């Protein structure tokens, strides 16, 4: 059986359809195919009455034997198969590995595998027209194909299903036969940037012996490539760049692309303290930078390198969110103006699942950014793990195939090919607004860090690397042989660069402190950084009844002339009734009033997450569907006097990637109320890395404020272990000093004020809100309009239903459990029990709680009540942070799972926890 039969099966119909298209309109097919078919038409009369389309299909598939047609015609199709073979598999046979031979793949591109032989090498074939050249010998066709597909750039693209994209790529590859053709000036620029990359690493290696820097050595050609990318993109209209990368090569990029002062970098190497007491900082190769630069042609651009933790690929989601925020704010629908660049490691891109989540966002309405250029600094090894142990796929970049993105594999030693591939990637992104990947195949000169011994695990590879020239010297020799440069130029360039570094090192060591400039400081002008005392100050968040009425009119009326299902009509009518008649506003109405009031004041609102348009529990209905057409109607878009924009998107089924995206969005847009909602609060644990590494500590590590809001549905309603607890204890354990707000509200009005406070302060902190489920429709969980038009967020709510002098037991509680306890108190007729709600857990309003306790002179029994097990919830946090009273606990026992899967058992345990509030003898 022909080993290339898969090519026949895949492309038989393609040949036939293309010829059919040609016969109807010759100008509609790509020029090379048009030329081929013009030459092919001569043989139509000899097909024994068959039409040309059928004949082409039969010959291509092998249904017609060579004895039935001329041998020459059969050979033409064999050459077509050869061309397809190079296009589909040529990347497997490239010269892209700079330090060792590539793996052997089978079948090869030997002509015998396509029905051809050495006797055909001198034959002239019309099939050459398909690759954009005149009819020529098979030997010349092979030489042409080998030059395009099998040199220092290999390209994967034939899986792309859009013919116009495939044709554009094939046309692009014929320019210079996919080989660089740069001017003398451009070559000297490449050499200069290579020298900066190499000299920078050499300098650090000698001045800071043994210190971790995660050297770029082996991948230095990314520096001239990034320089070209930014310069060329600016010429094509890009105004802002947002880049994310892990630590390998980061310092080099900061110095030689972003222009970070090497004095500051040296200060970080010297381990000096920071200029701010509240700021703990991060290691030097995690820090970010924002800079405004002027290109060589005078274009003003803004470039951003986002800070990141050691969870290498998390920053990929963050930069997409930053990019989208900049696009939404500054460029409307022209997403091409902001270009995201994601730099990966080969082990990380293959091994970390967040990459799959990120690429799946690439074309979604709520998350697309007009195409990302992905660059892999491919070291061929992880920490100590060989690439064959690091992935099952052929390439580390095979995740690109998820979105049918082209991949260019490039030899990192060939600087011109790397720059050429980068230019190709940029042109593709700007043309099609889609992702594109560059696999920069190089090596890692030292171990995982400069103190590591790589020969422990890769002795053979590192013998080869030790003898290998760096890319600068390789390129210098090439230019010297071409007569482009003189022999002494590299030494001159190296000396000038090193002298400058020496001067900056001397100047750096005269400074006592390290100053860390906040990332994207322009976006954060006018905002102050504050500590707990400022976070606890009251903020006026009341809103006028007139304004609220305008919001109500928008969200309580369906557009005329459109038919909606009866349940939607009833739900919207119920909203209208609660606002305009009963004055009992539920949670959803309070939420809509918060959004609408902020929109009227000029703030934007962005909400994303799984099923947020309707809401997991069918409470929000921010977007409603017309019954027959499924046309989407966003009710709040009709709001009178709205100055802001409302964005709400159902997300893909991702927590990690989407929360990272929205964190990035909030980082770039402090005047947007940016909300991520978990489908159930429990599901946020799928994004735990984003919470641990960014949300809880980004300000402390990187000097970055962020106002992301996380809505986490929380409450024990007998729905099992994964649908009850948002794991409040985890967030509270992360709280310290001034890092974020944590709240668990019990009224729609307080939630309204909480959301408004998030925008009305002069600072931004992440806000974690444990939102209700059953309370969404509980008739007790309502607020009056006056509750919205007066006051502000209440961190605590005292019990106003009791005579304080009669109270013996003072119960402190948060969230839904308040309603369960007060219902039991009413059933028992207990007047000696008061229930105080703590609506904000962090920063804990200690002074308010002291004042409340003082109002109960006869209380001697202090209870912390929670519906979560003893080892979960807020109990341990309250023990650690509030020691004014001796607590008695009313809760479930300690358990490993948050809740029982049995509804009966869960209900019984819940009832037992409530009984403990009222019966000291049940204390355990």
């Amino acid at each position: 059986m022909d080993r290339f039969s898969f090519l026949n099966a895949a492309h038989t119909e393609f040949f036939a359809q293309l010829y059919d298209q040609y016969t109807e309109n010759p100008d509609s097919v790509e020029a090379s195919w048009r030329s081929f078919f013009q030459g092919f038409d001569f043989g139509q009369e000899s097909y024994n009455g068959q039409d040309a389309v059928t004949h082409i299909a039969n010959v291509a598939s092998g249904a017609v034997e060579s004895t039935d047609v001329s041998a020459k015609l059969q050979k033409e199709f064999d050459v077509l198969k050869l061309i397809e073979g190079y296009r589909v598999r040529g990347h497997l046979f490239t010269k892209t590995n700079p330090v060792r031979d590539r793996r052997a793949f089978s079948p090869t591109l030997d002509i015998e595998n396509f029905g051809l032989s050495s006797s055909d090498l001198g034959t002239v074939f019309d099939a050459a027209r398909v690759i954009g050249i005149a009819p020529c010998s098979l030997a010349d066709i092979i030489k042409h194909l080998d030059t395009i597909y099998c040199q220092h750039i290999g390209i994967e693209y034939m899986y792309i299903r859009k013919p116009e994209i495939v044709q554009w790529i094939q046309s692009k590859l014929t320019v210079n036969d996919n080989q660089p053709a740069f001017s003398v000036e451009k070559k000297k620029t490449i050499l200069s940037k290579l020298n900066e990359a190499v000299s920078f690493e050499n300098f650090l290696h000698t001045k800071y012996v043994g210190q971790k820097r995660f050297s770029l050595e082996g991948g230095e050609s990314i520096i001239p490539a990034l320089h070209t990318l930014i310069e060329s993109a600016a010429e094509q209209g890009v105004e802002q760049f947002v880049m994310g990368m892990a630590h390998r090569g980061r310092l080099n990029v900061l110095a030689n692309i972003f222009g970070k002062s090497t004095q500051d970098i040296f200060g970080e190497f010297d381990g000096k303290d920071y200029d701010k007491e509240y700021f703990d900082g991060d290691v030097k190769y995690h820090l970010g930078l924002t800079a405004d630069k002027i290109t060589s042609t005078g274009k003003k651009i803004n470039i951003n390198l986002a800070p990141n933790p050691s969870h290498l690929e998390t920053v990929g989601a963050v930069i997409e969110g930053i990019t989208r925020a900049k696009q939404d704010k500054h460029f409307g629908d022209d997403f091409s103006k902001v270009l995201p660049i994601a730099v990966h490691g080969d082990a990380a891109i293959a091994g970390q699942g967040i990459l799959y989540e990120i690429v799946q966002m690439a074309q979604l309405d709520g998350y697309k950014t007009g195409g990302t250029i992905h660059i892999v600094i491919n070291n061929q090894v992880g920490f100590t793990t060989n690439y064959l142990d690091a992935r099952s796929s052929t390439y580390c970049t095979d995740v690109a195939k998820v979105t049918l993105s082209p991949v260019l594999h490039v030899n990192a030693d060939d600087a011109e090919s790397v720059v050429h591939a980068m230019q190709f990637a940029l042109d593709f992104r700007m043309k099609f607004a889609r992702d594109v990947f560059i696999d920069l195949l190089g090596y890692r000169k030292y171990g995982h860090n400069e103190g590591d011994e790589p020969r422990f695990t890769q002795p053979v590879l590192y013998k080869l690397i030790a003898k290998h020239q760096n890319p600068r010297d390789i390129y210098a020799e090439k230019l010297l042989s071409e007569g482009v440069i003189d022999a002494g130029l590299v030494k001159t360039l190296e000396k000038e660069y090193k002298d400058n570094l020496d001067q900056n090192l001397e100047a750096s060591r005269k400074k006592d402190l390290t100053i860390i400039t906040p990332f994207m400081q322009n976006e954060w002008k006018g905002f102050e950084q504050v500590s707990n005392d400022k976070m606890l100050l009251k903020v006026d968040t009341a809103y006028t009844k007139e304004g609220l009425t305008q919001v109500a009119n928008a969200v309580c009326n369906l557009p005329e002339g459109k038919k909606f299902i009866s349940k939607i009509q009833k739900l919207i009518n119920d909203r209208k009734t609660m606002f305009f008649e009963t004055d009992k506003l539920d949670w959803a109405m309070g939420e809509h009033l918060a959004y609408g009031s902020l929109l009227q004041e000029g703030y934007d609102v962005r909400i994303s997450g799984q099923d947020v348009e309707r809401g997991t529990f069918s409470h929000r209905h921010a977007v409603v569907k017309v019954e027959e057409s499924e046309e989407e109607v966003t009710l709040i878009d009709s709001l009178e006097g709205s100055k802001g924009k409302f964005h709400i998107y159902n997300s893909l089924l991702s927590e990690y990637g989407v929360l990272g995206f929205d964190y990035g969005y909030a980082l770039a847009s402090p005047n947007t109320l940016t909300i991520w909602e978990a489908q159930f609060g429990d599901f946020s644990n799928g994004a735990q890395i984003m919470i641990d590494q960014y949300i809880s500590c980004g300000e402390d590590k990187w000097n970055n404020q962020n106002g992301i809001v996380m809505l986490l549905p929380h409450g024990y309603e007998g729905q099992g272990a994964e649908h009850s607890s948002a794991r409040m204890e985890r967030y509270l354990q992360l709280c310290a000093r001034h890092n974020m707000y944590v709240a668990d509200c019990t009224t729609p009005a307080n939630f309204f004020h909480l959301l408004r406070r998030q925008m009305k302060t002069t600072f931004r902190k992440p806000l974690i809100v444990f939102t209700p489920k059953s309370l969404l429709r509980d008739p007790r969980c309502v607020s009056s309009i006056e509750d919205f038009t007066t006051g502000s967020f209440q961190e605590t709510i005292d019990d106003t239903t009791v005579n304080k002098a009669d109270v013996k037991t003072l119960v402190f509680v948060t969230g839904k459990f308040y309603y369960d306890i007060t219902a039991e108190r009413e059933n028992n007729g207990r007047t000696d029990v008061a229930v105080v709600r703590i609506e904000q857990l962090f920063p804990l309003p200690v002074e308010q709680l002291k004042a409340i306790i003082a109002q109960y002179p006869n209380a001697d029994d202090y209870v912390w009540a929670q519906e979560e097990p003893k080892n979960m919830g807020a109990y341990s946090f309250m023990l650690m942070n509030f020691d004014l009273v001796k607590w008695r606990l009313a809760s479930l026992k300690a358990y490993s799972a948050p809740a029982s899967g049995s509804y009966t058992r869960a209900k019984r345990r819940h009832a037992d926890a409530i009984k403990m509030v009222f019966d000291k003898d049940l204390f355990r």
Side-chain angles (χ1 to χ4, degrees):
M1 182 178 180
D2 180 5
R3 286 180 293 170
F4 274 83
S5 60
F6 72 93
L7 288 176
N8 299 336
H11 298 288
T12 296
E13 187 179 355
F14 170 71
F15 292 138
Q17 290 177 347
L18 201 59
Y19 184 80
D20 195 22
Q21 181 181 339
Y22 161 77
T23 57
E24 291 183 12
N25 180 9
D27 291 333
S28 68
V29 300
E30 196 264 333
S32 61
W33 277 108
R34 186 165 63 248
S35 297
F36 173 74
F37 288 134
Q38 287 169 348
F40 182 81
D41 280 343
F42 79 92
Q44 290 191 53
E45 296 179 0
S46 64
Y47 295 153
N48 299 324
Q50 292 180 346
D51 66 273
V53 172
T54 302
H55 187 73
I56 288 172
N58 288 336
V59 173
S61 65
V64 176
E65 299 294 337
S66 59
T67 55
D68 298 329
V69 295
S70 70
K72 175 67 166 60
L73 192 59
Q74 179 65 53
K75 292 290 185 180
E76 289 282 359
F77 278 99
D78 290 337
V79 175
L80 284 177
K81 293 177 188 178
L82 175 67
I83 292 169
E84 289 295 287
Y86 270 88
R87 287 171 169 174
V88 173
R89 291 172 57 82
H91 58 87
L92 296 172
F93 306 99
T94 54
K95 303 174 180 68
T96 49
N97 196 317
V99 290
R100 55 184 171 186
D101 293 335
R102 291 202 59 178
R103 281 184 287 171
F105 292 94
S106 180
T108 66
L109 295 175
D110 293 343
I111 58 176
E112 289 78 10
N113 290 320
F114 299 89
L116 299 164
S117 68
S118 58
S119 62
D120 298 313
L121 291 173
T123 305
V124 174
F125 289 98
D126 286 339
R129 301 177 191 273
V130 171
I131 52 176
I133 58 177
C136 60
S137 69
L138 177 59
D140 286 340
I141 291 172
I142 293 171
K143 181 180 178 182
H144 188 72
L145 290 170
D146 187 73
T147 301
I148 291 176
Y149 291 104
C150 297
Q151 295 303 306
H152 284 174
I153 302 174
I155 179 167
E156 295 182 274
Y157 69 97
M158 288 299 286
Y159 44 75
I160 296 173
R161 297 178 190 137
K162 293 191 175 182
E164 66 271 21
I165 296 180
V166 172
Q167 289 177 13
W168 183 91
I169 292 173
Q170 290 174 349
S171 176
K172 194 80 171 172
L173 292 176
T174 62
V175 178
N176 302 323
D177 290 347
N178 195 27
Q179 299 299 307
F182 296 128
S183 66
V184 169
E185 181 183 358
K186 179 64 176 178
K187 290 180 178 183
K188 287 183 177 179
T189 299
I190 292 171
L191 179 62
S192 176
K193 297 306 290 184
L194 267 179
N195 175 69
E196 291 176 6
V198 171
S199 298
F200 179 81
E201 298 294 352
N202 287 342
F203 187 87
L204 293 181
H205 192 63
T206 57
K207 299 296 183 181
Y208 295 99
V209 178
Q211 277 211 46
K212 290 182 184 180
R213 70 178 191 275
F214 296 96
S215 159
L216 183 58
E217 286 159 288
E220 294 99 327
S221 53
I222 195 176
I223 297 298
L226 287 172
H227 174 77
T228 296
L229 172 61
I230 292 171
E231 291 273 331
S232 298
E235 292 301 308
Q236 296 191 38
V238 176
E239 296 181 21
Q240 298 197 34
F241 299 83
V242 183
M243 185 172 168
M245 68 182 298
H247 37 263
R248 177 138 332 267
R250 188 182 189 85
L251 296 176
N252 209 313
V253 168
L254 282 167
N256 294 314
I257 297 297
F258 283 77
K260 180 173 180 174
S261 167
T262 52
Q263 290 188 29
D264 291 342
I265 293 174
F266 298 147
E268 292 158 11
F269 268 100
D270 288 333
K272 296 172 184 174
D273 202 356
Y274 303 105
D275 63 329
K276 293 183 175 65
E277 177 60 33
Y278 67 84
F279 171 68
D280 279 345
D282 200 354
V283 290
K284 49 195 168 289
Y285 38 79
H286 286 174
L287 301 177
L289 189 72
T290 295
D292 292 319
K293 295 187 71 173
I294 304 296
T295 69
S296 59
T297 59
K299 304 280 187 185
K300 183 179 179 182
I301 56 171
N302 177 262
I303 54 179
N304 305 271
L305 179 62
N308 72 292
S310 282
H311 284 83
L312 306 177
E313 294 294 343
T314 56
V315 75
V318 175
I319 65 165
E320 299 297 339
I322 292 171
T323 300
R324 180 58 180 266
K326 287 176 172 286
Q327 291 166 336
D328 285 346
K329 182 177 180 181
H330 300 295
F331 301 107
D333 294 328
D334 189 1
F335 284 7
S336 70
K337 297 288 187 182
V338 188
L339 172 58
I341 306 165
V343 182
H344 314 272
D346 54 314
I349 193 173
Q352 297 194 12
I354 190 173
L355 254 299
Y356 181 84
E357 298 180 28
I358 293 169
V359 299
Q360 283 287 20
M361 297 180 194
Q363 295 297 320
L364 303 181
D365 284 346
Y367 309 92
K368 62 186 178 183
T369 55
T372 299
I373 294 179
H374 297 267
I375 308 163
V376 180
I377 300 178
N378 190 335
N379 300 309
Q380 307 187 55
V381 62
F383 187 170
T384 65
T385 304
N386 287 314
Y387 72 95
L388 291 173
D389 297 319
R391 61 179 184 265
S392 297
S393 59
T394 301
Y395 293 113
C396 62
T397 51
D398 280 347
V399 69
K401 296 179 176 67
V402 171
T403 47
L404 306 179
S405 300
V407 181
L408 295 97
H409 305 279
V410 195
N411 188 318
D413 269 1
D414 185 348
E416 286 191 14
S417 288
V418 175
V419 172
H420 178 79
M422 189 69 83
Q423 186 66 58
F424 178 101
L426 171 65
D427 293 344
F428 178 87
R429 185 267 181 180
M430 299 303 286
K431 173 71 175 176
F432 296 108
R434 299 182 70 87
D435 287 7
V436 56
F437 288 71
I438 294 177
D439 176 16
L440 185 63
L441 198 70
Y443 54 90
R444 186 185 68 192
K445 184 172 181 179
Y446 303 106
H448 178 66
N449 59 64
E450 288 65 36
D452 192 37
E453 176 50 82
R455 290 176 297 177
F456 286 153
T457 48
Q458 283 84 24
V460 174
L461 174 62
Y462 274 88
K463 281 181 184 178
L464 297 172
I465 291 173
K467 302 173 185 175
H468 199 73
Q469 275 187 303
N470 67 58
R472 179 199 63 188
D473 293 345
I474 292 172
Y475 189 50
E477 289 180 3
K478 178 178 184 290
L479 296 187
L480 191 62
S481 68
E482 293 175 357
V484 173
I485 63 171
D486 298 326
L489 179 61
V490 171
K491 287 186 177 179
T492 301
L493 291 173
E494 187 172 24
K495 184 178 184 306
E496 289 175 353
Y497 189 81
K498 181 179 180 299
D499 287 347
N500 178 262
L501 293 180
D502 276 325
Q503 292 170 14
N504 284 332
L505 178 60
E506 184 179 350
S508 171
R509 288 181 171 167
K510 294 177 182 177
K511 298 178 180 178
D512 296 326
L513 297 172
T514 297
I515 298 173
I516 303 298
T517 304
F519 178 58
M520 290 194 301
Q521 58 269 35
N522 289 338
E523 281 82 353
W524 289 88
K525 283 180 180 175
F527 290 90
E528 59 177 333
Q529 291 180 299
V530 303
S531 196
N532 285 1
D533 53 348
K534 277 279 189 80
M535 292 174 69
L536 285 165
L537 292 179
K538 290 293 184 182
V539 179
D540 183 8
T541 52
Y543 203 63
T544 66
K545 185 173 182 180
E546 178 185 8
L548 294 179
T549 302
Q550 290 173 334
V551 178
N553 279 325
V555 300
C556 296
N557 288 288
L558 294 168
E560 295 181 2
K562 299 180 188 293
K563 187 177 181 224
F564 298 87
I565 65 171
S566 58
K567 286 184 178 180
I568 287 291
Q569 291 173 333
K570 180 180 184 306
L571 186 146
I572 301 302
N573 286 336
D574 288 346
R575 278 187 194 169
K576 183 182 292 187
T577 299
M578 72 175 68
F579 188 90
F580 293 100
E581 297 179 24
T582 63
D583 195 22
K584 292 182 179 179
L585 281 58
D586 68 5
W587 194 273
M589 194 63 192
E591 185 179 342
H592 283 298
L593 293 178
Y595 302 148
S597 63
L598 289 170
L599 292 170
Q600 287 183 319
E601 292 178 315
Y603 298 99
D604 292 344
V605 176
R606 174 187 166 91
I607 309 171
S608 105
Q610 294 153 27
D611 308 295
V612 294
E613 294 177 6
R614 186 203 77 175
T616 299
F617 310 103
S618 293
H619 81 287
R620 183 172 291 120
H621 291 284
V623 177
V624 293
K625 297 280 187 78
V626 177
E627 184 173 5
E628 300 298 330
S629 65
E630 291 197 1
E631 173 194 349
E632 294 186 347
V633 177
T634 304
L635 296 175
I636 209 164
D637 283 349
S638 65
L639 174 59
E640 181 182 345
S642 177
K643 298 178 186 136
K645 295 178 181 177
F646 184 74
H647 309 284
I648 187 165
Y649 303 103
N650 286 343
S651 76
L652 66 162
L653 196 65
S654 153
E655 291 84 30
Y656 190 0
V658 174
L659 181 57
F661 185 102
D662 285 324
Y663 174 89
Y665 198 101
L667 190 60
S669 188
N671 283 317
T672 298
L673 179 66
T674 305
I675 297 173
W676 176 77
E677 182 176 58
Q679 193 170 67
F680 283 84
D682 318 50
F683 296 175
S684 65
N685 58 16
Q688 197 66 46
I689 292 171
M690 293 308 312
I691 297 161
D692 290 346
Q693 305 296 333
Y694 286 88
I695 291 172
S696 66
C697 55
E699 184 173 354
D700 197 34
K701 291 197 297 188
W702 306 315
N703 223 2
N704 294 336
Q705 295 189 65
N706 194 293
I708 182 74
V709 178
M710 292 176 61
L711 302 184
L712 308 177
H714 175 86
Y716 280 59
E717 283 97 2
Q719 297 189 56
E722 274 72 60
H723 298 83
S724 298
S725 173
R727 306 310 295 250
M728 186 184 295
E729 63 280 358
R730 294 183 178 176
Y731 297 91
L732 293 174
Q733 188 178 34
L734 292 170
C735 289
R737 297 201 290 183
H738 50 261
N739 63 334
M740 57 186 175
Y741 285 111
V742 176
D744 189 4
C745 302
T746 58
T747 72
N750 218 24
F751 184 53
F752 165 90
H753 289 295
L754 177 65
L755 291 177
R756 284 182 50 77
R757 184 184 71 175
Q758 192 69 359
M759 290 288 98
K760 302 294 284 184
T761 59
T762 58
F763 55 88
R764 294 288 180 265
K765 304 286 181 181
L767 169 62
I768 315 301
V769 190
F770 301 100
T771 54
K773 294 179 290 185
S774 60
L775 292 186
L776 295 174
R777 293 173 180 80
D778 194 315
R780 299 170 297 171
C781 185
V782 293
S783 301
S784 68
I785 294 174
E786 184 180 3
D787 293 332
F788 297 85
T789 59
T790 59
S792 59
F793 176 69
Q794 300 176 72
E795 292 84 3
T796 58
I797 301 178
D798 196 4
D799 196 333
T800 59
T801 66
V802 295
N803 182 341
K804 289 180 167 51
D806 295 338
V807 171
K808 299 291 187 183
T809 297
L810 189 56
V811 182
F812 295 87
V813 69
T814 184
K816 163 188 163 284
F817 208 37
Y818 163 79
Y819 290 96
D820 299 331
I821 292 169
T822 53
E824 182 70 10
R825 179 180 65 180
E826 187 175 339
N827 289 338
N828 294 339
R830 294 286 295 269
T831 60
D832 61 334
V833 177
V835 185
V836 176
R837 288 171 271 179
I838 300 179
E839 303 279 289
Q840 177 175 291
L841 286 155
F842 192 85
L844 190 65
V846 175
E847 295 304 317
Q848 292 185 35
L849 291 170
K850 284 181 182 177
I852 290 173
I853 291 171
Q855 294 179 48
Y856 294 88
N858 298 315
D860 58 6
D861 179 26
Y862 299 97
V863 181
W864 175 257
Q866 63 179 42
E867 56 183 347
E868 303 88 0
K870 178 180 180 180
N871 56 322
M872 302 176 195
Y875 178 52
S876 59
F877 171 80
M878 292 302 294
L879 284 178
M880 191 183 340
N881 292 279
F882 192 72
D883 57 2
L884 293 176
V885 296
K886 184 176 180 181
W887 296 112
R888 175 169 67 82
L889 176 65
S891 79
L892 280 66
K893 295 179 181 178
Y895 292 104
S896 57
S900 170
S902 162
Y903 178 79
T904 300
R905 180 175 293 182
K907 186 176 179 181
R908 182 177 68 246
R909 289 178 178 175
H910 193 72
D912 288 344
I914 295 172
K915 289 176 184 176
M916 291 173 65
V917 173
F918 301 95
D919 189 345
K920 293 181 184 180
D921 295 334
L922 292 177
F923 176 70
R924 53 175 182 257

